[in-house]
C-alpha cells in the first residue's frame, strides 16, 4: 500500500478576489525592485504558492492605482 502524505492545502487566491481580477495581467517586484510580469493570474498564483515572493512583496495590476504589498490585497494569506 502506498504511504499517504498529508500536504497542507494552499488556499486559492482567486476565491478572495472579484472575478474580473483573474482575467488581467499581474506583476510583482523581486528583491532589488526587479519587475516580474506581465503574467496571467494563474502564473501569479503559482509564483505565490512556489514561494517566489512574500506577503510584503509589492504587486500590481491594471485595476490597482498603485503598487501594493501582497498582504494588503490578500491579508489572510500573509499569516
Amino acid at each position: 500500500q502506498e504511504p499517504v502524505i498529508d500536504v497542507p492545502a494552499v488556499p486559492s487566491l482567486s476565491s478572495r478576489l472579484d472575478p474580473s481580477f483573474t482575467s488581467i495581467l499581474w506583476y510583482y517586484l523581486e528583491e532589488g525592485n526587479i519587475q516580474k510580469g506581465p503574467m496571467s493570474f494563474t502564473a501569479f498564483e503559482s509564483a505565490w504558492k512556489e514561494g517566489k515572493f512574500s506577503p510584503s512583496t509589492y504587486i500590481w495590476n491594471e485595476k490597482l492605482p498603485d503598487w501594493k504589498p501582497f498582504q494588503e490585497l490578500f491579508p489572510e494569506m500573509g499569516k
Side-chain angles (χ1 to χ4, degrees):
Q1 179 173 332
E2 292 282 323
V4 175
I5 300 170
D6 187 23
V7 178
V10 177
S12 169
L13 299 181
S14 60
S15 64
R16 272 100 176 142
L17 285 179
D18 177 311
S20 68
F21 272 74
T22 62
S23 62
I24 57 178
L25 297 174
W26 289 75
Y27 302 78
Y28 68 91
L29 294 178
E30 278 189 337
E31 205 168 309
N33 286 338
I34 299 166
Q35 182 177 300
K36 296 304 243 182
M39 65 187 73
S40 68
F41 185 79
T42 303
F44 175 78
E45 186 171 36
S46 292
W48 164 251
K49 289 179 178 179
E50 292 166 13
K52 293 186 177 177
F53 59 92
S54 72
S56 61
T57 299
Y58 278 79
I59 63 172
W60 184 81
N61 65 50
E62 64 192 33
K63 291 186 178 265
L64 298 176
D66 210 346
W67 290 84
K68 297 199 177 291
F70 176 84
Q71 61 198 3
E72 195 172 307
L73 255 65
F74 303 94
E76 68 289 339
M77 304 302 271
K79 298 190 173 28

